Amino acid sequence: MDGESGAAIRVYEDGPLIVRGDFEIQTQDGTTIDPGRSTVALCRCGKSAIKPFCDGRHTVAGFRAPGGKIRGPASAG
């Protein structure tokens, strides 16, 4: 991250979100989840047994999603 503070998130095609750096993960009600490390893989497929973290089940489930920029309301402008 070149000396910057904060987090970097990389979207992997057909896979998880990889989060690196200084970040906090919270449940819907605001409870903090301790990731136990500074790099984590977050599930995108919904099949993981350890949500919100990825356990690799996206491969068996045949999950497909782009890894690059997604066009839509969040990226419009």
Side-chain angles (χ1 to χ4, degrees), residues 1-10 18-24 37-40:
M1 289 190 20
D2 301 323
E4 295 180 21
S5 63
I9 302 171
R10 182 167 288 182
I18 302 297
V19 183
R20 291 182 174 92
D22 184 22
F23 58 88
E24 182 176 272
R37 58 188 67 186
S38 62
T39 300
V40 297

Side-chain angles (χ1 to χ4, degrees), residues 2 10 25 28-29 32 34 36 40 44 49 51 61 64 73 77:
D2 301 323
R10 182 167 288 182
I25 300 173
Q28 181 173 308
D29 67 3
T32 299
D34 180 9
V40 297
R44 287 202 297 162
K51 290 182 201 83
R64 297 287 178 256

Side-chain angles (χ1 to χ4, degrees), residues 4-77:
E4 295 180 21
S5 63
I9 302 171
R10 182 167 288 182
V11 182
Y12 279 86
E13 183 175 353
D14 304 333
L17 300 172
I18 302 297
V19 183
R20 291 182 174 92
D22 184 22
F23 58 88
E24 182 176 272
I25 300 173
Q26 295 183 348
T27 64
Q28 181 173 308
D29 67 3
T31 302
T32 299
I33 298 171
D34 180 9
R37 58 188 67 186
S38 62
T39 300
V40 297
L42 297 178
C43 176
R44 287 202 297 162
C45 76
K47 303 294 184 188
S48 175
I50 57 171
K51 290 182 201 83
F53 305 105
C54 175
D55 67 2
R57 292 180 194 224
H58 57 272
T59 304
V60 176
F63 177 71
R64 297 287 178 256
K69 184 176 179 180
I70 301 169
R71 297 182 188 261
S75 63

